[in-house]
Amino acid sequence: MRYKSTAGVAVGIAVLVLGAGAATGGTRTPAATPGITIVPAPPGPEEAQFVPGATNFEPTTAPPATDIGVNKVQTLAAPFYACPGFSGIERTNPLANLYKDQFAWGPYAPYTVGNGGGNINWLANPYKNASWYMWFHSLRWLGHGIIAAGKGDLTALTRVNTIAYDWHRDNPYSWKGNVGAWESTMHRTNVLICLRQAILSGLQVTTLPTRYAWLDAALLSHARFLTYNWSGAWNHGTDESIALFGVGCTLNRTDYKNLAQQRLGAGITTSIDAQGSTNEQSTGYAAFNYSLWGRAIAVLQNCGVDPGTTMSTRRALLAKWLALATNSLGKLHQLGDTELQAPYPWPGTPMEYAGSLGTKGTAPPWRVGIYSAGYVFGRTGWGTSPTRGFAGESTYSIRFGPSRAFHGHSDHTSITYTARGREIVIDGGYAAYSAGVWRAWTVSPSAHSVMTTPLSKDLNPATRLTASSVRTNAEAYQFVDAPGSGISRVRSVLVLKDPDLLVTWDRASAKTAQAFQTLWHLPPDQRATVYSRTTAVAMAPGDTTRTILFQVPFEQALPAGATLLKQAQTSPIQGWYYPSSYVRKSAPTLMLARSGTSASILSFVVPVRSTGSVTYTTRWSGTTFIISLNVGGQRTAVAISGGGSLYRAG
C-alpha cells in the first residue's frame, strides 16, 4: 500500500473534486468535446490486499444504512459514471511502452509481457510479487493509451483494445482461481468502462460499434463476478460496490445499481463506526476510506441516486478522527499498514487545519480523542499559541482495543510521540506484504514501543483501557492485557505539558520466567548513546533538540544490562524503520530489559533543547512514590499512588 497523490487528468472537462468540505460530492454533466471525462479516484492502496487461500470477506457488524436512494434526485444532468482514472499506474507506462507490450510497476524495471503485437502472457510474474501481478491484471497500465484513444488516436485505440480483448479472451469467466485476476476485478471493471467511453469519444459515436461488442459482454461478466464475490465491509468491498454501480449506470442495469446501493448501505456503518473510526486498524487506510466514501457519494449522485445522509455523517466523524490522528509535523501517526504521509487538507473539514499545519481553516475544538476501536490521540494544542506554533506542540498516539485484524499490527499499548518540531518516538513502519521476515517484524510487537515478552508466543490480545484522565496540563491512561500464555501486562501512560514529556510504567507477571523488554523506537536520523543502566540520550547531529530517556528504579532494582541499544540488527531483527513499503532505514531502538517472573519498568522520555538537562529526586509520602523533576529549568513532579495510579503531582 503506497498512497499516491490525488492529482489527476481531466480530458474534455474540468475535474470534479470529490469530498471537498462536508459536501457529499458535486455532480457535473460531461462536456461534448473530444476526450473522455476522468474524475480521479482517491489515492488507493498499491499493495495487494488479498491473502491467498483466505476468504478475504469481512461481514457487516452494524445495522445498515437505509437512506440511500430513498429520495429522488432533481437534476437536469444526464446520469453518467465518470472514468475514475488509473491511480497513477499509467505514469510508469507511457504510450510507447504499450506498443512494446511492456508493463512497469513499483520498484521494478519494465518487463515485456507480450509478443509486441498485443498478445499478452497473463501468467507472467517475473518478480514473484503479488502486487505486481495484481496490477498487471488490473489493466490500469493502459491508461495513457485509453486517454489518447479518447482523443481520436486510432493507433492507440487499436492497441489498448487488442490488449484488453486479449485479457477477456485468455481469462474466461470465472477467474476466481487466479487471485491476482480476482483481486483486480474492480479496477479492471473501471478500466473497461474507461475504454468504452474512449471508443465512443474517439470514434465520435453514441453507440458501441459491433466490433467492440465484446466490451459490453466483458462488463457483464465482471458485474456477474462482482455480484457473487463481494468482499464485504472494508475498502475492497466498497470499491467493488462502486464498480458494480458503474456497470449498472453505464449499461442502464437497475439490478446492478440496486445491489450496489444495498451493499454500500451495509458497508458504511461497519467500515466507519459511530465514533468515526474505521475497522482497518491503519491511519493510512482511514485516510483512504475517507476519500473512497466521498467517491461513493459522488458516483451515486452523478448517476441520479440520492446518497442519503449516513455516508456523509460517518465521513464527517472520520474527518475529526483523521485530524486528531495528525501529528505536529503534519503527518498521520504511522499506525498499522501506513506509510509516512500527510492527510489531505480537505477544505471545510478539520483536516484542512491539520493537513495545512494550521495555515488554513479553523483550529479544531478538541485536543484529545479516545476511541473504543482502540486509539488515543492527544496533543498539547493546535499551535494557536504564538509561543509554540503548530510544529511546537507535542502530539501522541496510543493503541489498544480489539485484536489485530485487517491492516493492523500487534501494537497494543504502543506509543508514538512528537515534540519540539520533530519526531521523538516512532513506529517501526510498514514493510511490503512480500517482504518476508521484514514484514513479519514490522507487524510484530518488537517493531513497536511496547513492553514485549519475546520468549512467549504473541497471543494477539485484545487490550482494555481501564482508566483515563484528561486535564489541561496532563493526560493519564492505564491499559491491561495478556500478551502471552500465563502473562499479564499493565501499562500506565502519563503525558505532560509544560514541560512536555511522557512517562510509562510497565509491569508484568508471568507463570514462568520471561524476558521483559520495554522498547523505545527512535527516529533514524538520531544517534543514541547509553550512558548507564538508567540513562540514554538520542540526538541528530546538529539538531536543536535531544531526547533524554531514563528509567527510575521502582519496586525492582535495575540489573546490569537494564538499558541496551539495538540498531541495524538482523538476528533477531531489531533497530530498523520503514517510512514506506520498500524503504528500510537503520534506526536506534532503546531496550529496557528485565528477566524473571515479574517486571516493573518506570521510564521517562524527555525532549529538551540540545544543551538541556534533566535532573530528578525521589521520595515517599506515605504510600505515594514521588519523582520531582527539573526539566531544563521547568519543575514538575510525577507520582504513583499506593493504589497504582500514575499522575502529575506538580
Side-chain angles (χ1 to χ4, degrees):
M1 171 200 69
R2 294 158 76 193
Y3 296 94
K4 295 294 187 182
S5 110
T6 54
V9 180
V11 182
I13 67 166
V15 173
L16 170 64
V17 178
L18 299 181
T24 56
T27 59
R28 194 183 297 253
T29 305
T33 55
I36 63 173
T37 300
I38 296 181
V39 178
E46 244 189 70
E47 291 285 322
Q49 300 180 67
F50 275 15
V51 178
T55 65
N56 298 295
F57 174 78
E58 178 61 22
T60 58
T61 58
T66 58
D67 56 353
I68 300 174
V70 172
N71 297 317
K72 296 285 186 181
V73 172
Q74 303 298 324
T75 177
L76 298 177
F80 76 100
Y81 180 84
C83 170
F86 311 98
S87 191
I89 291 175
E90 78 280 7
R91 294 173 194 160
T92 54
N93 293 279
L95 188 56
N97 285 17
L98 300 189
Y99 293 132
K100 296 184 288 187
D101 290 346
Q102 284 190 345
F103 168 61
W105 176 83
Y108 304 107
Y111 185 81
T112 301
V113 293
N115 67 351
N119 184 9
I120 307 299
N121 174 17
W122 296 106
L123 297 178
N125 189 3
Y127 303 108
K128 309 300 181 186
N129 183 283
S131 299
W132 187 98
Y133 187 73
M134 188 268 290
W135 290 119
F136 174 42
H137 276 263
S138 77
L139 301 184
R140 278 185 171 178
W141 51 287
L142 303 182
H144 280 304
I146 291 173
I147 291 171
K151 293 180 178 180
D153 185 333
L154 299 186
T155 302
L157 175 57
T158 298
R159 175 48 58 103
V160 293
N161 180 73
T162 298
I163 293 175
Y165 177 72
D166 188 71
W167 191 96
H168 174 65
R169 180 186 59 201
D170 291 356
N171 297 274
Y173 186 91
S174 162
W175 45 88
K176 189 172 181 179
N178 182 337
V179 69
W182 171 18
E183 182 175 2
S184 61
T185 297
M186 60 188 184
H187 306 302
R188 191 171 53 252
T189 301
N190 280 317
V191 172
L192 295 177
I193 291 174
C194 296
L195 175 58
R196 190 182 194 278
Q197 294 172 357
I199 292 169
L200 298 177
S201 175
L203 298 179
Q204 299 185 39
V205 296
T206 57
T207 304
L208 202 64
T210 302
R211 65 171 297 193
Y212 298 106
W214 73 268
L215 192 50
D216 281 357
L219 284 173
L220 289 173
S221 67
H222 278 64
R224 181 184 176 193
F225 189 94
L226 293 169
T227 295
Y228 292 108
N229 297 282
W230 184 44
S231 295
W234 61 300
N235 74 80
H236 214 284
T238 306
D239 248 333
E240 289 167 347
S241 298
I242 292 171
L244 179 62
F245 186 87
V247 177
C249 188
T250 299
L251 301 183
N252 195 27
R253 288 287 299 263
T254 301
D255 53 342
Y256 293 149
K257 289 191 290 184
N258 287 343
L259 179 58
Q261 291 169 223
Q262 176 186 335
R263 288 177 174 175
L264 289 170
I268 180 61
T269 50
T270 295
S271 293
I272 307 175
D273 71 19
Q275 289 183 313
S277 298
T278 70
N279 62 345
E280 302 204 38
Q281 298 188 359
S282 155
T283 47
Y285 275 91
F288 174 52
N289 272 282
Y290 181 84
S291 299
L292 184 61
W293 283 102
R295 170 168 161 72
I297 290 169
V299 160
L300 292 170
Q301 289 176 321
N302 287 339
C303 201
V305 175
D306 183 351
T309 60
T310 302
M311 286 192 283
S312 59
T313 299
R314 292 295 173 102
R315 283 185 80 229
L317 292 168
L318 178 55
K320 173 183 175 180
W321 190 99
L322 285 163
L324 284 166
T326 303
N327 67 26
S328 57
L329 308 180
K331 306 292 186 182
L332 292 173
H333 289 285
Q334 197 176 359
L335 306 180
D337 288 342
T338 300
E339 295 190 334
L340 187 64
Q341 64 184 90
Y344 188 80
W346 294 101
T349 76
M351 287 185 285
E352 181 177 20
Y353 189 88
S356 68
L357 283 77
T359 62
K360 297 179 180 178
T362 303
W366 346 274
R367 191 174 57 81
V368 175
I370 302 173
Y371 292 91
S372 59
Y375 299 89
V376 177
F377 299 119
R379 58 199 314 123
T380 52
W382 287 100
T384 55
S385 166
T387 59
R388 280 186 179 263
F390 192 93
E393 303 285 5
S394 294
T395 57
Y396 62 92
S397 73
I398 313 173
R399 282 283 286 122
F400 68 104
S403 299
R404 174 182 176 260
F406 287 107
H407 299 288
H409 292 179
S410 294
D411 59 358
H412 284 189
T413 74
S414 182
I415 299 171
T416 63
Y417 186 52
T418 67
R420 295 182 55 84
R422 65 161 296 119
E423 291 177 312
I424 302 298
V425 177
I426 64 172
D427 183 88
Y430 165 44
Y433 299 131
S434 58
V437 296
W438 295 100
R439 166 70 180 172
W441 175 77
T442 59
V443 172
S444 76
S446 294
H448 304 91
S449 294
V450 301
M451 173 187 269
T452 64
T453 51
L455 297 182
S456 65
K457 179 183 178 181
D458 175 30
L459 294 184
N460 186 23
T463 303
R464 294 181 295 122
L465 172 64
T466 57
S468 64
S469 171
V470 176
R471 297 161 52 190
T472 57
N473 63 355
E475 290 90 63
Y477 311 95
Q478 181 172 284
F479 307 90
V480 176
D481 63 15
S485 179
I487 301 171
S488 64
R489 177 176 65 172
V490 180
R491 165 164 276 193
S492 295
V493 180
L494 179 64
V495 188
L496 270 60
K497 175 181 180 179
D498 295 328
D500 293 5
L501 59 89
L502 65 86
V503 188
T504 62
W505 179 30
D506 292 318
R507 55 269 201 208
S509 63
K511 294 180 179 179
T512 58
Q514 299 288 330
F516 300 101
Q517 300 171 350
T518 291
L519 305 178
W520 292 110
H521 288 268
L522 307 176
D525 64 328
Q526 289 190 329
R527 296 176 183 173
T529 303
V530 174
Y531 285 94
S532 68
R533 68 180 64 182
T534 65
T535 306
V537 175
M539 180 176 171
D543 201 355
T544 58
T545 294
R546 65 174 179 166
T547 304
I548 300 175
L549 305 101
F550 62 95
Q551 51 182 323
V552 175
F554 181 65
E555 294 188 343
Q556 193 175 53
L558 303 189
T563 300
L564 303 170
L565 178 64
K566 305 293 181 179
Q567 185 161 358
Q569 182 176 290
T570 57
S571 184
I573 295 173
Q574 190 54 275
W576 301 92
Y577 167 59
Y578 277 86
S580 60
S581 303
Y582 293 94
V583 176
R584 182 174 69 242
K585 296 183 177 183
S586 167
T589 298
L590 201 65
M591 178 185 293
L592 311 183
R594 304 286 192 277
S595 61
T597 57
S598 65
S600 174
I601 302 176
L602 177 61
S603 57
F604 291 70
V605 179
V606 188
V608 295
R609 65 183 184 277
S610 59
T611 57
S613 63
V614 180
T615 60
Y616 71 89
T617 60
T618 64
R619 64 185 176 88
W620 287 91
S621 176
T623 59
T624 298
F625 183 66
I626 300 174
I627 307 102
S628 298
L629 299 113
N630 185 328
V631 180
Q634 287 184 291
R635 296 184 181 276
T636 190
V638 171
I640 301 176
S641 72
S645 296
L646 177 65
Y647 62 96
R648 183 170 190 161

